[in-house]
Amino acid sequence: MNRSELVTAVAQRAGLTQSDADSMLNALGDVLVEAVAKGEAVKVPGLLTVERVERAARTGRNPRTGETMEIAASFGAKLTAGSKLKAAAAGN
């Protein structure tokens, strides 16, 4: 499902116009990005949890030359599927 299909499906389910559904999807994305950037976890019960995780500095290897290199510490995003999403993926 691509973005336009998602907007259409949400608009039909929620009784919104496609423009309103698109605005809602944009706002949800903005809120998720801002919250994760602040280090806050965002939980949508039954669907997913999104949180920021810290990756420690480590030693890596350049696959082309075999040379070792230091990889700096950084942050990443961790998405955890909720119970409803897991059940849907399992076909239940």
Side-chain angles (χ1 to χ4, degrees):
M1 177 179 284
N2 62 30
R3 182 183 172 87
S4 62
E5 292 169 341
L6 178 62
V7 168
T8 300
V10 169
Q12 289 174 349
R13 287 268 175 112
L16 301 171
T17 65
Q18 286 196 357
S19 177
D20 288 343
D22 189 50
S23 295
M24 185 275 311
L25 193 58
N26 285 333
L28 176 63
D30 292 343
V31 169
L32 278 171
V33 168
E34 288 173 10
V36 170
K38 291 179 189 175
E40 300 172 0
V42 178
K43 298 178 183 181
V44 182
L47 290 181
L48 57 92
T49 301
V50 182
E51 58 189 321
R52 183 170 88 168
V53 294
E54 187 173 354
R55 294 188 182 129
R58 61 195 187 279
T59 302
R61 185 172 302 276
N62 182 332
R64 182 174 291 168
T65 63
E67 178 183 350
T68 60
M69 55 193 282
E70 290 299 314
I71 301 172
S74 63
F75 293 100
K78 177 183 172 185
L79 282 73
T80 306
S83 59
K84 290 179 185 178
L85 195 56
K86 286 179 184 178
N92 298 335

